[in-house]
Amino acid sequence: MKKYISEVKTPKISIAPMVDKTHRHFRYFSRILTKEALLYTEMITAQSIINGDRDKILYFREEEGAVALQIAASTPEDAYKAVKLSEDYNYSEINLNCGCPSDRVSGNLMGAALMSSKDLVYEILCAMKEATKKPITIKHRIGIDGTGVLEGISDKIIMEGYDDLLSFLDTVSKARPDRYTIHARSAILKGLSPKDNREIPPLDYNMVYNLKKEFDYLNIEINGGFKTIESIKDALTKVDGVMIGRPAYENCYLLTNFYKLYEGNENKKPISRAEAIKAYIPYIIEELEKGNSVHALVSPLQSLFQGQKGSKKYKQLLSSSNVKKETIIQILNHIIETMPENILYN
Ligand SMILES: Cc1cc2nc3c(=O)[nH]c(=O)nc-3n(C[C@H](O)[C@H](O)[C@H](O)COP(=O)(O)O)c2cc1C
Protein backbone atom coordinates (compact mmCIF):
# COMPACT_ATOMS: atom_id res chain seq x y z
CA MET A 1 0.00 0.00 0.00
CA LYS A 2 1.35 3.43 -0.90
CA LYS A 3 2.15 5.25 2.31
CA TYR A 4 0.68 8.68 1.68
CA ILE A 5 -0.29 10.70 4.70
CA SER A 6 -2.79 13.21 3.43
CA GLU A 7 -2.99 16.55 5.19
CA VAL A 8 -6.70 16.69 4.48
CA LYS A 9 -8.74 16.40 7.63
CA THR A 10 -11.55 13.89 7.56
CA PRO A 11 -14.72 15.36 9.02
CA LYS A 12 -16.19 13.15 11.73
CA ILE A 13 -19.48 13.16 9.91
CA SER A 14 -20.70 13.67 6.36
CA ILE A 15 -23.98 13.40 4.47
CA ALA A 16 -23.75 11.03 1.55
CA PRO A 17 -24.13 11.89 -2.12
CA MET A 18 -27.68 10.82 -3.07
CA VAL A 19 -29.23 11.26 -6.51
CA ASP A 20 -32.57 13.09 -6.42
CA LYS A 21 -32.04 13.92 -2.76
CA THR A 22 -28.91 15.94 -2.03
CA HIS A 23 -29.68 18.78 -4.42
CA ARG A 24 -28.77 22.28 -3.35
CA HIS A 25 -32.07 23.02 -1.54
CA PHE A 26 -31.62 19.87 0.53
CA ARG A 27 -28.07 20.89 1.33
CA TYR A 28 -29.12 24.42 2.29
CA PHE A 29 -31.66 23.05 4.77
CA SER A 30 -29.16 20.44 6.03
CA ARG A 31 -26.71 23.26 6.76
CA ILE A 32 -29.36 24.97 8.89
CA LEU A 33 -29.60 21.75 10.90
CA THR A 34 -25.86 21.05 11.20
CA LYS A 35 -22.74 23.15 10.96
CA GLU A 36 -20.56 20.07 11.44
CA ALA A 37 -21.16 17.73 8.51
CA LEU A 38 -19.43 17.79 5.16
CA LEU A 39 -22.20 17.81 2.54
CA TYR A 40 -22.06 16.07 -0.84
CA THR A 41 -23.73 16.84 -4.14
CA GLU A 42 -25.68 14.18 -5.98
CA MET A 43 -23.51 12.07 -8.32
CA ILE A 44 -22.94 14.12 -11.47
CA THR A 45 -21.49 12.49 -14.57
CA ALA A 46 -18.35 14.03 -16.02
CA GLN A 47 -20.09 14.11 -19.39
CA SER A 48 -22.92 16.25 -18.08
CA ILE A 49 -20.43 18.69 -16.55
CA ILE A 50 -18.56 18.85 -19.86
CA ASN A 51 -21.61 19.13 -22.14
CA GLY A 52 -24.41 20.37 -19.92
CA ASP A 53 -25.63 23.68 -18.48
CA ARG A 54 -22.86 23.97 -15.89
CA ASP A 55 -24.35 26.80 -13.88
CA LYS A 56 -27.54 24.86 -13.46
CA ILE A 57 -25.67 21.70 -12.51
CA LEU A 58 -22.86 23.08 -10.34
CA TYR A 59 -23.98 26.41 -8.88
CA PHE A 60 -24.51 26.48 -5.13
CA ARG A 61 -24.87 29.21 -2.52
CA GLU A 62 -21.99 29.92 -0.18
CA GLU A 63 -24.28 29.48 2.85
CA GLU A 64 -24.08 25.72 2.15
CA GLY A 65 -20.51 25.81 3.51
CA ALA A 66 -18.23 22.86 2.78
CA VAL A 67 -19.63 20.83 -0.12
CA ALA A 68 -17.90 17.96 -1.91
CA LEU A 69 -18.69 17.45 -5.59
CA GLN A 70 -19.14 13.80 -6.53
CA ILE A 71 -18.46 12.87 -10.14
CA ALA A 72 -18.91 9.66 -12.11
CA ALA A 73 -16.43 9.13 -14.91
CA SER A 74 -15.16 6.27 -17.04
CA THR A 75 -12.07 7.86 -18.60
CA PRO A 76 -9.21 9.96 -17.21
CA GLU A 77 -9.80 12.51 -19.99
CA ASP A 78 -13.42 13.12 -18.99
CA ALA A 79 -12.53 13.20 -15.32
CA TYR A 80 -9.77 15.74 -15.95
CA LYS A 81 -12.04 18.03 -17.97
CA ALA A 82 -14.92 17.79 -15.49
CA VAL A 83 -12.71 18.61 -12.51
CA LYS A 84 -11.07 21.52 -14.37
CA LEU A 85 -14.48 22.95 -15.27
CA SER A 86 -15.67 22.59 -11.70
CA GLU A 87 -12.81 24.84 -10.55
CA ASP A 88 -15.08 27.81 -11.33
CA TYR A 89 -17.28 26.73 -8.42
CA ASN A 90 -16.30 26.67 -4.80
CA TYR A 91 -16.40 22.97 -3.96
CA SER A 92 -14.16 21.99 -1.09
CA GLU A 93 -13.20 18.62 -2.57
CA ILE A 94 -13.98 16.33 -5.49
CA ASN A 95 -15.02 12.71 -5.03
CA LEU A 96 -14.99 9.83 -7.50
CA ASN A 97 -17.97 7.48 -7.44
CA CYS A 98 -16.91 3.82 -7.43
CA GLY A 99 -19.98 2.55 -5.63
CA CYS A 100 -23.10 3.09 -7.73
CA PRO A 101 -24.53 -0.27 -8.85
CA SER A 102 -27.21 0.95 -11.29
CA ASP A 103 -27.32 -0.73 -14.74
CA ARG A 104 -27.01 2.53 -16.58
CA VAL A 105 -23.93 3.57 -14.63
CA SER A 106 -22.25 0.11 -14.65
CA GLY A 107 -23.01 -0.34 -18.36
CA ASN A 108 -20.89 2.74 -19.02
CA LEU A 109 -18.11 1.41 -16.77
CA MET A 110 -18.73 3.97 -14.08
CA GLY A 111 -19.65 3.63 -10.40
CA ALA A 112 -19.12 0.25 -8.71
CA ALA A 113 -18.20 -1.42 -12.02
CA LEU A 114 -15.01 0.66 -12.02
CA MET A 115 -13.74 -1.36 -9.06
CA SER A 116 -13.17 -4.22 -11.50
CA SER A 117 -10.65 -2.03 -13.36
CA LYS A 118 -8.35 -0.83 -10.63
CA ASP A 119 -5.71 0.48 -13.05
CA LEU A 120 -8.34 2.65 -14.66
CA VAL A 121 -9.45 3.95 -11.25
CA TYR A 122 -5.80 4.79 -10.55
CA GLU A 123 -5.56 6.70 -13.85
CA ILE A 124 -8.82 8.56 -13.27
CA LEU A 125 -7.73 9.63 -9.78
CA CYS A 126 -4.36 10.79 -11.13
CA ALA A 127 -6.13 12.86 -13.79
CA MET A 128 -8.36 14.41 -11.14
CA LYS A 129 -5.33 15.25 -9.00
CA GLU A 130 -3.65 16.84 -11.98
CA ALA A 131 -6.70 19.01 -12.68
CA THR A 132 -6.94 20.59 -9.23
CA LYS A 133 -5.15 21.30 -5.98
CA LYS A 134 -8.30 20.46 -4.04
CA PRO A 135 -8.55 17.19 -2.14
CA ILE A 136 -9.50 14.22 -4.29
CA THR A 137 -11.41 11.44 -2.57
CA ILE A 138 -13.01 8.15 -3.55
CA LYS A 139 -16.23 6.41 -2.47
CA HIS A 140 -16.35 2.68 -3.08
CA ARG A 141 -17.74 -0.62 -1.88
CA ILE A 142 -15.99 -3.48 -0.03
CA GLY A 143 -16.44 -5.64 -3.12
CA ILE A 144 -18.48 -6.25 -6.26
CA ASP A 145 -20.09 -9.09 -8.14
CA GLY A 146 -20.10 -8.17 -11.82
CA THR A 147 -21.37 -11.53 -13.07
CA GLY A 148 -23.53 -11.05 -16.14
CA VAL A 149 -22.37 -7.47 -16.67
CA LEU A 150 -18.58 -7.28 -16.75
CA GLU A 151 -17.64 -10.41 -18.73
CA GLY A 152 -15.44 -9.39 -21.63
CA ILE A 153 -14.93 -5.94 -20.12
CA SER A 154 -12.86 -6.83 -17.11
CA ASP A 155 -10.66 -9.68 -15.85
CA LYS A 156 -11.80 -9.38 -12.28
CA ILE A 157 -15.54 -9.90 -12.30
CA ILE A 158 -15.96 -10.82 -8.66
CA MET A 159 -14.13 -9.04 -5.85
CA GLU A 160 -14.90 -10.44 -2.47
CA GLY A 161 -13.08 -10.70 0.81
CA TYR A 162 -10.36 -8.67 2.45
CA ASP A 163 -7.54 -9.67 0.08
CA ASP A 164 -9.44 -8.47 -2.99
CA LEU A 165 -10.19 -5.18 -1.26
CA LEU A 166 -6.50 -4.81 -0.36
CA SER A 167 -5.45 -5.54 -3.91
CA PHE A 168 -7.83 -2.82 -5.18
CA LEU A 169 -6.53 -0.31 -2.65
CA ASP A 170 -2.93 -1.26 -3.27
CA THR A 171 -3.24 0.02 -6.84
CA VAL A 172 -5.57 2.90 -6.14
CA SER A 173 -3.48 4.24 -3.23
CA LYS A 174 -0.65 4.98 -5.69
CA ALA A 175 -2.78 7.88 -6.92
CA ARG A 176 -2.71 9.25 -3.35
CA PRO A 177 -6.40 9.91 -2.79
CA ASP A 178 -6.97 12.05 0.27
CA ARG A 179 -9.75 9.89 1.70
CA TYR A 180 -11.47 6.55 1.17
CA THR A 181 -15.17 6.43 1.94
CA ILE A 182 -16.14 2.79 2.09
CA HIS A 183 -19.74 1.64 1.86
CA ALA A 184 -19.39 -1.54 3.90
CA ARG A 185 -21.33 -3.87 1.59
CA SER A 186 -20.64 -5.41 -1.81
CA ALA A 187 -22.45 -4.25 -4.94
CA ILE A 188 -24.19 -6.87 -7.06
CA LEU A 189 -24.36 -5.50 -10.55
CA LYS A 190 -26.92 -7.82 -12.10
CA GLY A 191 -30.31 -8.79 -10.72
CA LEU A 192 -30.48 -6.28 -7.89
CA SER A 193 -31.91 -2.78 -8.13
CA PRO A 194 -29.89 0.08 -6.60
CA LYS A 195 -32.39 0.04 -3.72
CA ASP A 196 -31.86 -3.68 -3.06
CA ASN A 197 -28.12 -3.11 -3.35
CA ARG A 198 -28.38 -0.87 -0.29
CA GLU A 199 -30.15 -3.56 1.71
CA ILE A 200 -29.53 -7.12 0.57
CA PRO A 201 -25.73 -7.62 0.53
CA PRO A 202 -24.86 -7.75 4.25
CA LEU A 203 -22.88 -5.00 5.94
CA ASP A 204 -19.37 -6.01 6.97
CA TYR A 205 -17.99 -3.23 9.14
CA ASN A 206 -15.05 -5.36 10.27
CA MET A 207 -13.57 -5.33 6.82
CA VAL A 208 -13.33 -1.53 7.04
CA TYR A 209 -12.19 -1.50 10.65
CA ASN A 210 -9.46 -4.06 9.94
CA LEU A 211 -8.24 -1.98 7.04
CA LYS A 212 -7.86 1.07 9.28
CA LYS A 213 -6.15 -1.05 11.93
CA GLU A 214 -3.64 -2.37 9.42
CA PHE A 215 -3.06 0.91 7.56
CA ASP A 216 -3.65 3.55 10.18
CA TYR A 217 -2.19 6.30 7.96
CA LEU A 218 -5.10 5.99 5.48
CA ASN A 219 -7.97 8.44 5.91
CA ILE A 220 -10.97 6.15 6.18
CA GLU A 221 -14.63 7.02 6.40
CA ILE A 222 -17.18 4.25 6.87
CA ASN A 223 -20.68 4.25 5.38
CA GLY A 224 -23.80 2.10 5.57
CA GLY A 225 -26.51 1.61 8.17
CA PHE A 226 -25.58 4.27 10.75
CA LYS A 227 -28.77 5.71 12.23
CA THR A 228 -27.95 6.93 15.73
CA ILE A 229 -25.41 9.23 17.36
CA GLU A 230 -24.34 6.32 19.61
CA SER A 231 -23.52 4.03 16.66
CA ILE A 232 -21.63 6.88 14.94
CA LYS A 233 -19.66 7.59 18.13
CA ASP A 234 -18.74 3.93 18.39
CA ALA A 235 -17.54 3.79 14.77
CA LEU A 236 -15.46 6.93 15.34
CA THR A 237 -13.36 5.02 17.84
CA LYS A 238 -12.22 2.80 14.92
CA VAL A 239 -12.16 4.99 11.80
CA ASP A 240 -11.72 8.67 10.96
CA GLY A 241 -15.24 9.49 9.83
CA VAL A 242 -18.79 8.26 9.30
CA MET A 243 -20.99 9.05 6.31
CA ILE A 244 -24.74 8.82 6.66
CA GLY A 245 -27.16 8.45 3.75
CA ARG A 246 -30.85 7.65 4.13
CA PRO A 247 -31.33 8.89 7.71
CA ALA A 248 -30.49 12.38 6.42
CA TYR A 249 -33.79 12.46 4.55
CA GLU A 250 -35.81 9.91 6.53
CA ASN A 251 -35.15 11.56 9.90
CA CYS A 252 -33.41 14.85 9.19
CA TYR A 253 -33.65 16.19 12.75
CA LEU A 254 -30.90 13.67 13.62
CA LEU A 255 -28.51 16.13 11.96
CA THR A 256 -29.03 18.64 14.76
CA ASN A 257 -27.34 16.20 17.13
CA PHE A 258 -24.06 15.98 15.24
CA TYR A 259 -22.52 18.59 17.55
CA LYS A 260 -22.49 15.82 20.19
CA LEU A 261 -19.70 14.13 18.25
CA TYR A 262 -17.35 16.93 19.26
CA GLU A 263 -15.93 17.53 22.69
CA GLY A 264 -16.60 20.79 24.47
CA ASN A 265 -20.13 21.08 23.13
CA GLU A 266 -21.88 19.79 26.26
CA ASN A 267 -23.75 23.05 26.83
CA LYS A 268 -24.74 23.56 23.22
CA LYS A 269 -28.43 23.34 22.30
CA PRO A 270 -29.54 22.10 18.91
CA ILE A 271 -31.64 24.36 16.72
CA SER A 272 -35.34 23.70 17.29
CA ARG A 273 -37.68 22.55 14.54
CA ALA A 274 -39.51 25.90 14.61
CA GLU A 275 -36.25 27.84 14.34
CA ALA A 276 -35.11 25.63 11.48
CA ILE A 277 -38.31 26.28 9.52
CA LYS A 278 -38.07 30.02 10.23
CA ALA A 279 -34.46 30.05 9.03
CA TYR A 280 -35.46 28.31 5.81
CA ILE A 281 -38.44 30.55 4.94
CA PRO A 282 -36.39 33.51 3.54
CA TYR A 283 -34.51 31.03 1.34
CA ILE A 284 -37.77 29.62 -0.03
CA ILE A 285 -38.98 33.13 -0.82
CA GLU A 286 -35.75 34.05 -2.63
CA GLU A 287 -35.54 30.82 -4.57
CA LEU A 288 -39.21 30.95 -5.59
CA GLU A 289 -38.59 34.44 -6.95
CA LYS A 290 -35.83 32.97 -9.10
CA GLY A 291 -38.36 30.54 -10.56
CA ASN A 292 -37.41 27.39 -8.65
CA SER A 293 -39.94 24.63 -8.04
CA VAL A 294 -41.86 24.83 -4.78
CA HIS A 295 -41.89 21.02 -4.54
CA ALA A 296 -38.10 20.76 -4.71
CA LEU A 297 -37.85 23.52 -2.10
CA VAL A 298 -40.23 21.81 0.29
CA SER A 299 -38.84 18.27 -0.11
CA PRO A 300 -36.00 18.71 2.45
CA LEU A 301 -38.59 19.52 5.14
CA GLN A 302 -40.58 16.30 4.77
CA SER A 303 -39.01 14.31 7.61
CA LEU A 304 -38.53 17.12 10.14
CA PHE A 305 -41.18 15.73 12.51
CA GLN A 306 -40.39 12.04 11.90
CA GLY A 307 -41.32 9.91 14.90
CA GLN A 308 -43.09 12.80 16.63
CA LYS A 309 -46.75 13.27 17.45
CA GLY A 310 -48.38 15.16 14.58
CA SER A 311 -45.89 13.93 11.98
CA LYS A 312 -48.64 12.49 9.76
CA LYS A 313 -50.62 15.74 9.78
CA TYR A 314 -47.43 17.71 9.06
CA LYS A 315 -46.57 15.53 6.07
CA GLN A 316 -50.11 15.93 4.78
CA LEU A 317 -49.84 19.72 4.99
CA LEU A 318 -46.62 19.51 2.95
CA SER A 319 -47.92 16.93 0.47
CA SER A 320 -47.54 17.82 -3.18
CA SER A 321 -51.28 18.21 -3.64
CA ASN A 322 -51.41 20.86 -0.90
CA VAL A 323 -48.23 22.77 -1.60
CA LYS A 324 -48.43 25.71 -4.02
CA LYS A 325 -45.99 28.52 -4.41
CA GLU A 326 -48.68 31.06 -3.47
CA THR A 327 -49.50 29.32 -0.19
CA ILE A 328 -46.34 27.61 1.04
CA ILE A 329 -45.25 30.35 3.45
CA GLN A 330 -48.74 30.48 4.93
CA ILE A 331 -48.65 26.69 5.40
CA LEU A 332 -45.26 26.84 7.14
CA ASN A 333 -46.42 29.63 9.45
CA HIS A 334 -49.55 27.60 10.20
CA ILE A 335 -47.31 24.63 11.14
CA ILE A 336 -45.30 26.82 13.51
CA GLU A 337 -48.52 28.08 15.11
CA THR A 338 -50.28 24.75 15.46
CA MET A 339 -47.81 21.91 16.08
CA PRO A 340 -47.26 21.01 19.76
CA GLU A 341 -44.88 23.49 21.41
CA ASN A 342 -42.72 20.82 23.09
CA ILE A 343 -41.96 19.33 19.67
CA LEU A 344 -41.52 22.65 17.91
CA TYR A 345 -39.19 24.06 20.53
CA ASN A 346 -37.89 20.80 22.12
C1 LIG B 1 -31.83 7.79 -3.01
C2 LIG B 1 -30.37 7.43 -2.97
C3 LIG B 1 -29.51 7.93 -3.92
C4 LIG B 1 -28.15 7.61 -3.89
N1 LIG B 1 -27.30 8.20 -4.78
C5 LIG B 1 -25.95 8.02 -4.64
C6 LIG B 1 -25.03 8.79 -5.40
O1 LIG B 1 -25.41 9.67 -6.18
N2 LIG B 1 -23.70 8.54 -5.23
C7 LIG B 1 -23.24 7.61 -4.33
O2 LIG B 1 -22.02 7.43 -4.19
N3 LIG B 1 -24.10 6.89 -3.58
C8 LIG B 1 -25.43 7.10 -3.69
N4 LIG B 1 -26.28 6.46 -2.86
C9 LIG B 1 -25.73 5.58 -1.79
C10 LIG B 1 -25.49 6.40 -0.52
O3 LIG B 1 -24.53 7.41 -0.74
C11 LIG B 1 -25.01 5.48 0.63
O4 LIG B 1 -23.81 4.88 0.23
C12 LIG B 1 -26.03 4.39 0.96
O5 LIG B 1 -27.34 4.92 1.04
C13 LIG B 1 -25.66 3.68 2.27
O6 LIG B 1 -25.69 4.58 3.34
P1 LIG B 1 -26.94 4.61 4.39
O7 LIG B 1 -27.13 3.20 4.89
O8 LIG B 1 -26.52 5.54 5.48
O9 LIG B 1 -28.14 5.07 3.63
C14 LIG B 1 -27.64 6.75 -2.89
C15 LIG B 1 -28.53 6.25 -1.92
C16 LIG B 1 -29.87 6.58 -1.94
C17 LIG B 1 -30.78 6.05 -0.88
Side-chain angles (χ1 to χ4, degrees):
M1 192 84 64
K2 179 80 187 171
K3 185 158 185 179
Y4 167 56
I5 302 176
S6 170
E7 287 179 3
V8 173
K9 233 178 129 358
T10 293
K12 289 187 176 193
I13 187 81
S14 73
I15 297 180
M18 290 183 283
V19 165
D20 289 339
K21 296 288 178 191
T22 53
H23 47 71
R24 65 187 187 87
H25 306 320
F26 178 93
R27 298 193 308 259
Y28 190 96
F29 187 61
S30 298
R31 187 55 81 212
I32 290 174
L33 300 177
T34 173
K35 299 289 173 256
E36 289 83 13
L38 173 65
L39 307 179
Y40 278 78
T41 63
E42 306 167 79
M43 171 186 75
I44 303 175
T45 64
Q47 281 287 335
S48 63
I49 294 174
I50 296 165
N51 301 315
D53 177 349
R54 272 190 293 285
D55 263 347
K56 192 155 177 239
I57 299 170
L58 295 178
Y59 164 78
F60 69 102
R61 289 173 49 150
E62 68 182 59
E63 294 96 317
E64 287 179 37
V67 180
L69 166 66
Q70 188 190 60
I71 65 163
S74 58
T75 67
E77 294 74 22
D78 280 0
Y80 179 87
K81 279 188 211 155
V83 174
K84 262 274 175 259
L85 291 166
S86 74
E87 291 280 82
D88 292 343
Y89 303 83
N90 201 19
Y91 289 101
S92 53
E93 49 186 72
I94 321 286
N95 177 265
L96 177 67
N97 182 323
C98 290
C100 178
S102 98
D103 298 357
R104 204 164 36 89
V105 171
S106 310
N108 291 313
L109 202 58
M110 292 189 290
L114 265 186
M115 287 186 74
S116 69
S117 302
K118 56 188 179 178
D119 293 328
L120 181 56
V121 176
Y122 161 77
E123 284 167 24
I124 292 175
L125 288 171
C126 287
M128 291 168 73
K129 282 238 156 188
E130 208 182 308
T132 183
K133 291 200 161 42
K134 289 178 185 172
I136 294 295
T137 62
I138 175 170
K139 179 170 182 277
H140 60 91
R141 300 278 189 137
I142 52 173
I144 54 162
D145 182 345
T147 311
V149 176
L150 296 177
E151 283 93 352
I153 300 177
S154 155
D155 302 333
K156 187 82 183 159
I157 287 166
I158 297 178
M159 290 177 54
E160 59 182 354
Y162 190 62
D163 288 346
D164 281 355
L165 180 63
L166 277 192
S167 155
F168 172 73
L169 292 172
D170 197 39
T171 302
V172 166
S173 64
K174 296 191 177 90
R176 303 175 168 219
D178 293 290
R179 181 182 317 118
Y180 304 79
T181 298
I182 311 181
H183 183 177
R185 51 163 61 90
S186 281
I188 298 172
L189 302 187
K190 194 174 170 69
L192 282 191
S193 66
K195 184 170 182 289
D196 288 343
N197 255 307
R198 294 191 285 267
E199 275 157 20
I200 291 175
L203 284 162
D204 185 348
Y205 293 152
N206 279 337
M207 221 135 98
V208 184
Y209 295 149
N210 288 341
L211 188 72
K212 178 68 189 176
K213 223 188 256 170
E214 195 174 350
F215 304 98
D216 66 343
Y217 53 86
L218 296 179
N219 258 335
I220 304 232
E221 179 178 57
I222 193 166
N223 167 240
F226 292 93
K227 293 184 179 150
T228 62
I229 294 297
E230 290 66 37
S231 64
I232 296 169
K233 273 188 177 164
D234 176 60
L236 286 173
T237 62
K238 298 167 198 133
V239 283
D240 304 289
V242 176
M243 171 184 273
I244 68 151
R246 288 161 287 186
Y249 66 84
E250 289 172 352
N251 178 24
C252 67
Y253 200 63
L254 173 72
L255 275 55
T256 62
N257 279 319
F258 287 169
Y259 73 92
K260 292 182 181 162
L261 302 171
Y262 293 82
E263 278 170 27
N265 276 344
E266 290 74 17
N267 297 325
K268 201 174 157 178
K269 261 193 75 148
I271 187 167
S272 70
R273 292 179 175 84
E275 285 160 343
I277 296 174
K278 284 182 198 163
Y280 192 53
I281 286 177
Y283 177 81
I284 297 184
I285 295 171
E286 282 174 36
E287 293 290 325
L288 281 176
E289 272 167 15
K290 291 184 202 160
N292 288 294
S293 137
V294 68
H295 297 290
L297 281 159
V298 165
S299 64
L301 295 173
Q302 295 291 352
S303 70
L304 188 60
F305 288 82
Q306 181 60 34
Q308 302 297 321
K309 194 161 171 264
S311 170
K312 206 166 155 199
K313 184 177 149 223
Y314 168 81
K315 278 194 186 140
Q316 217 169 355
L317 284 168
L318 291 187
S319 67
S320 46
S321 52
N322 274 336
V323 163
K324 308 260 176 311
K325 70 177 193 304
E326 296 76 18
T327 55
I328 181 58
I329 304 303
Q330 230 175 311
I331 293 174
L332 292 175
N333 283 326
H334 172 75
I335 287 168
I336 294 171
E337 280 155 24
T338 57
M339 288 292 277
E341 290 239 333
N342 61 328
I343 299 172
L344 276 170
Y345 294 99
N346 46 37

